[in-house]
Amino acid sequence: MDIRFVKREVLKEKPDQKNLGFGKYMTDYMFVMDWTKDEGWKDARIVPHEPITLEPSCVTLHYAQETFEGLKAYRTAEGKIQLFRPEMNAKRMITSNERLCMPAFPVDMFVEAVRALVKVEEAWVPTEPETSLYIRPFMFATEAALGVHMASAYKFMVICCPVGAYYAEGINPVKILVEDELVRAVKGGTGFTKCGGNYAGSILGQVKAEKMGYSQVLWLDGEQRKYVEEVGTMNIMFKIAGEIYTAPIEGTVLAGVTRDSMLHLLRDWGYKVNETRLSIDDLMKAGHDGTLEEVFGTGTAAVISPVGELRYKDDVVTVNDFKIGELTQKLYDTLTGIQWGKIEDRFGWTQEVK
Ligand code: COI
């Protein structure tokens, strides 16, 4: 792919790596490519990161035809930069786009675009411990039209920002509220895709949880409100009587790259992994009878987030005395060890950019 480069006159000042937070500081450049019905993908370019212009009748602003991805570039101790399983993000975006009737962005072009942008933004990949460069590829309809239909023009873009921990709690346990009224996804809907609309619909639950002193929502299945599915921005796993439980990928749950990597590690370590429906009643029961040993969320942005408390209606369960579990810590150390190049990558998950 030929990528045109438009140089920025003045580079931005880099933020303090000790206070990055999440998603606050955008880098100097962004990748952009356009699609039209007649010409397909065209004009790959890396240009200064700046506001874009959209016609107010642009389809996306009205009907949310938008999908996105999230991955990270990591700085190793030797100063190299590596990506973690970028093909998985590329493939998932194709899956999301199919559901939303958007054109596929080919896997090789996706990886090439990400690699090219990260190379240009090399100096933005932070070196402080626990930091990385978060990469956000996204696609949206650009056609100006108010009819609801598959659009005739789209944009694929990639932006980046150096980040620290996603949650203020970092790797400390979070409190989670089980949402028993609102739902996130039903079979046949868009729950398995990474589309903006899924997140828009989740914000009310998040606001409700925060008002009650909880930092995240645990969503139940949309039909019976009986089975645990996923947390606001993460997949979720439970260690019950020595075995791992997590919701299956059956149309309502996002196929997380971190989820898949954790399940690989867990199976490799000999754990029995149950990708099966777990009812909220069984989960709370396990919390009370002492068999619920650990609970943790997994996601690219959050990495792994231990859960210290679960509230379902008036029932409250404290997990592992509100301390990070041994297995949760081991998973965090192993996964981030591979990502930051401190541990040998036996799975071929990482790829060097520079
Ligand atoms: C990620 O983990 O990369 C995500 O996309 C979650 C996000 C909504 C912060």
Side-chain angles (χ1 to χ4, degrees), residues 26 32 88 170:
M26 297 298 141
V32 189
M88 278 198 83

Side-chain angles (χ1 to χ4, degrees), residues 11 51 67 101 113 191 200 202 208 219 223 232 316 334:
L11 295 181
T67 58
C101 271
S202 76
K208 200 171 140 188
W219 298 100
E223 277 141 45
V316 178
T334 309

Side-chain angles (χ1 to χ4, degrees), residues 1 102 116 132 144 201 206 218 221 241 271 277 315 327 333 352:
M1 176 166 64
M102 295 165 66
S132 54
Q206 177 71 24
L218 172 55
D221 77 277
Y271 280 95
R277 298 182 109 194
D315 194 10
L327 181 63
D333 292 343
E352 211 174 290

Side-chain angles (χ1 to χ4, degrees), residues 22 68-71 134 136 166 194 199 233 299-302:
F22 185 88
F68 71 97
E69 275 301 321
L71 67 162
Y134 186 75
R136 170 55 62 85
Y166 183 76
K194 212 159 171 61
Y199 294 81
T233 57
T300 297

